[in-house]
Amino acid sequence: MSIVITGATGQLGRLIIADLLGAGVPAGGITAVARSKEKAADLVAQGIGLHVADYDEPESFTGAFRPEDRVLLISATDAGRRVPQHAAVIDAARATGVAQLGYVSVFGGPEADFRLADDHRETERLIIASGLPYTFLRNNWYSEMYAVNEIPGILAQEAIVTNVAPGSRIATATRADYAAAAATVLREDGHLGRAYELSGDTAWTFEEFAEEVSRQSGRTIVHRSIDPAERAAMLIGFGVPAPFAEVLVDVDDAISRGRLAGTPGDLSRLAGRPTTPIADTIAQGLAAAQTA
């Protein structure tokens, strides 16, 4: 068995590799696909194999895979451009006939009806059409997106501002939670032809989120739900490109419609432990804000 991970130098990829090593997978049995030797230097120093390739250069994936490989395609980051980027990996995997093609997809899969899911739905379709043995890891949102990345702004405004309807729930989990599940799927048998809907054990509301930030910070934080147009204008004012601002507004609408409320079970079972409570990730975010 050999495991190949594309996008391996990103935050999720590094966590997956660490989990594989921790579970006893030999470093020599893992190959990282990265855009440059420099980005993967620390992984190579641990004995991880390296193949240099770029999603935007399909020819760079020549020789990346072998028939016995279990490949994990970590989705690219450029929404709207990902389908041809992912197709480069799928085509190379199909030409080789790999043993497994895993894909880090989005919660809901073909039923996800928000714009950010468009690329993921089409990628899943391409993988199925390829005829390769597949495993879909349909991740819900990362807790860090709210509880780490947005904490400085939340503290500055004394509010978390969204266009999510009050009382709506979302079941996030941390990158480490999702990485643990991915590592299990790559190193164990029995996951071919499966699509896992992965989400946190406990869904939370933004009102509960604000209350927890208040409790831990000693400040009064509230959730402000505003009109979608106002929310888009606010994001654009912060420097978010208008097309992506509309995507984020659409995600909030999906949360309001219950599309990301989660189906607890698959993630904690694959990870082998309960998912990380949102309160723990908030604590991490507050600590990081204090040292910034």
Side-chain angles (χ1 to χ4, degrees):
M1 178 183 70
S2 58
I3 295 171
V4 183
I5 300 173
T6 75
T9 57
Q11 294 180 75
L12 182 62
R14 289 180 180 279
L15 288 169
I16 294 169
I17 289 174
D19 279 344
L20 290 170
L21 294 173
V25 177
I30 305 171
T31 297
V33 177
R35 285 183 292 178
S36 70
K37 293 181 180 179
E38 292 74 22
K39 286 182 175 292
D42 60 316
L43 298 176
V44 173
Q46 298 176 65
I48 304 294
L50 173 65
H51 182 90
V52 177
D54 189 310
Y55 286 139
D56 289 319
E57 300 173 5
E59 67 280 2
S60 65
F61 284 92
T62 301
F65 309 130
R66 296 171 295 179
E68 68 271 20
D69 287 342
R70 299 182 177 188
V71 178
L72 180 65
L73 168 55
I74 295 180
S75 54
T77 57
D78 297 332
R81 297 183 57 241
R82 289 186 282 209
V83 173
Q85 293 175 325
H86 295 168
V89 178
I90 297 166
D91 289 346
R94 179 174 54 190
T96 304
V98 300
Q100 177 186 23
L101 179 57
Y103 174 57
V104 178
S105 188
V106 70
F107 189 79
E111 304 303 319
D113 57 359
F114 41 92
R115 297 180 197 174
L116 200 60
D118 292 350
D119 292 345
H120 296 291
R121 290 198 308 271
E122 179 61 13
T123 299
E124 287 195 13
R125 189 193 69 78
L126 291 175
I127 292 173
I128 291 172
S130 76
L132 289 167
Y134 68 85
T135 308
F136 295 147
L137 298 165
R138 294 172 176 164
N139 292 356
N140 206 317
W141 258 234
Y142 296 147
S143 297
E144 291 92 338
M145 293 173 63
Y146 299 109
V148 176
N149 299 359
E150 293 196 17
I151 284 292
I154 291 169
L155 294 175
Q157 298 180 82
E158 296 188 332
I160 179 167
V161 183
T162 73
N163 53 281
V164 175
S168 304
R169 293 191 171 273
I170 182 171
T172 62
T174 64
R175 286 187 181 87
D177 295 332
Y178 294 120
T184 296
V185 163
L186 290 170
R187 63 184 173 80
E188 290 185 353
D189 295 329
H191 301 286
L192 299 182
R194 302 290 299 273
Y196 294 110
E197 302 288 348
L198 304 179
S199 58
D201 292 336
T202 303
W204 48 267
T205 69
F206 284 88
E207 291 76 29
E208 292 167 345
F209 181 95
E211 289 172 4
E212 184 60 28
V213 177
S214 299
R215 186 187 70 79
Q216 292 194 32
S217 68
R219 300 168 62 175
T220 300
I221 307 296
V222 299
H223 172 225
R224 288 177 48 214
S225 179
I226 62 177
D227 178 81
E230 184 183 356
R231 169 75 167 151
M234 183 187 76
L235 290 168
I236 293 168
F238 289 152
V240 178
F244 193 59
E246 294 295 338
V247 167
L248 295 177
V249 167
D250 186 57
V251 167
D252 280 4
D253 180 65
I255 296 170
S256 299
R257 291 184 285 107
R259 305 304 288 178
L260 297 170
T263 51
D266 275 354
L267 181 52
S268 55
R269 178 174 59 81
L270 290 173
R273 56 171 173 75
T275 60
T276 307
I278 191 65
D280 291 3
T281 315
I282 289 172
Q284 176 190 345
L286 288 171
Q290 290 172 358
T291 58

